[in-house]
Amino acid sequence: MEKIVNQSMLRLVEGDITQETTDAIVNAANSGLMGGGGVDGAIHRAGGPKILEECKKIHAQMGQLPAGQAVITTAGNMKARFVIHTVGPIWHNGDRNEPEILASCYRESLKIAIENRCQSISFPSISTGAYGYPINLAAPVAVNTVINFLTGVYCHIPLLVRFVLFSSSVFDAYAEAVRANAIVQE
Ligand code: AR6
């Protein structure tokens, strides 16, 4: 499924983000930046030790990465050039500003991609695994935030944004959010 937004392209695919050939892939990391399970574990396994080396340096300089922020490292042995590590919100029934923090993850990742001259970027479904954010609530935040960014002033070059979704049920939730966004815009 795809949608043209300004001169940019939003595409949804089902797949494994470690196989992406976009300039950057986004990691759903944790504040310690030392790897973990889920997509974080898969990215560190596929990319090799160079990613963790850079994460350790960043952590030594900056300390814990707050939720909603993003940092960039090499992608090591993967085909992408960069990994952008962002920390999603842990779901607490929506009582702790989770939608705004989740939106910030997507915005900050897109900004850092543009600052590093990326023309293409792949996102996983941040926070919807171990961090427990309900998929039907996370998907519209993800899709609407990316579409708003692509229509905004910060996005001064055409970008390809891919959501790489790990199962058909996650894909379906994102597809529904893209359809709903078209209705909102009409
Ligand atoms: N490619 C694309 N998506 C994937 C892949 C993959 N290879 N593997 C898993 N997913 P999660 P979170 C999907 O738990 O909720 C880690 O331990 C997965 O099916 O990876 O943000 C970190 O270190 C789900 O749809 O991230 C943190 O501690 C989505 O990616 C914590 O988990 C996100 O699931 C972050 O939790």
Side-chain angles (χ1 to χ4, degrees):
M1 181 177 195
E2 58 188 36
K3 179 181 174 78
I4 295 169
V5 185
N6 274 354
Q7 295 165 312
S8 295
M9 171 73 80
L10 175 63
R11 197 167 281 152
L12 309 185
V13 298
E14 204 179 314
D16 175 357
I17 203 164
T18 64
Q19 302 303 311
E20 287 291 288
T21 58
T22 45
D23 292 330
I25 64 173
V26 175
N27 182 19
N30 56 63
S31 293
L33 292 177
M34 294 299 148
V39 70
D40 195 6
I43 284 174
H44 280 278
R45 275 195 302 279
K50 285 203 172 131
I51 300 177
L52 191 58
E53 275 172 35
E54 287 190 23
C55 283
K56 283 181 177 166
K57 283 186 194 153
I58 292 169
H59 190 265
Q61 286 167 1
M62 296 181 47
Q64 297 284 100
L65 185 67
Q69 299 296 305
V71 295
I72 191 165
T73 67
T74 175
N77 302 326
M78 289 182 288
K79 290 179 192 135
R81 287 164 53 212
F82 302 111
V83 176
I84 296 171
H85 306 261
T86 189
V87 182
I90 298 171
W91 180 253
H92 291 283
N93 292 313
D95 295 337
R96 299 197 193 167
N97 216 18
E98 292 96 322
E100 184 42 46
I101 297 168
L102 185 61
S104 174
C105 290
Y106 288 97
R107 277 195 304 269
E108 294 303 314
S109 298
L110 289 162
K111 281 188 197 169
I112 213 167
I114 286 182
E115 282 162 15
N116 286 275
R117 300 176 191 280
C118 295
Q119 297 179 342
S120 54
I121 179 170
S122 302
F123 283 101
S125 177
I126 298 164
S127 280
T128 61
Y131 280 0
Y133 205 127
I135 185 68
N136 59 320
L137 300 179
V141 173
V143 164
N144 295 341
T145 302
V146 168
I147 290 173
N148 285 344
F149 185 91
L150 295 178
T151 57
V153 286
Y154 208 99
C155 189
H156 53 84
I157 53 156
L159 266 187
L160 168 63
V161 180
R162 288 164 61 87
F163 280 107
V164 182
L165 306 162
F166 211 43
S167 69
S168 59
S169 60
V170 174
F171 179 94
D172 289 347
Y174 277 71
E176 180 55 36
V178 170
R179 282 190 289 271
N181 182 278
I183 293 165
V184 168
Q185 287 192 337
E186 272 164 11

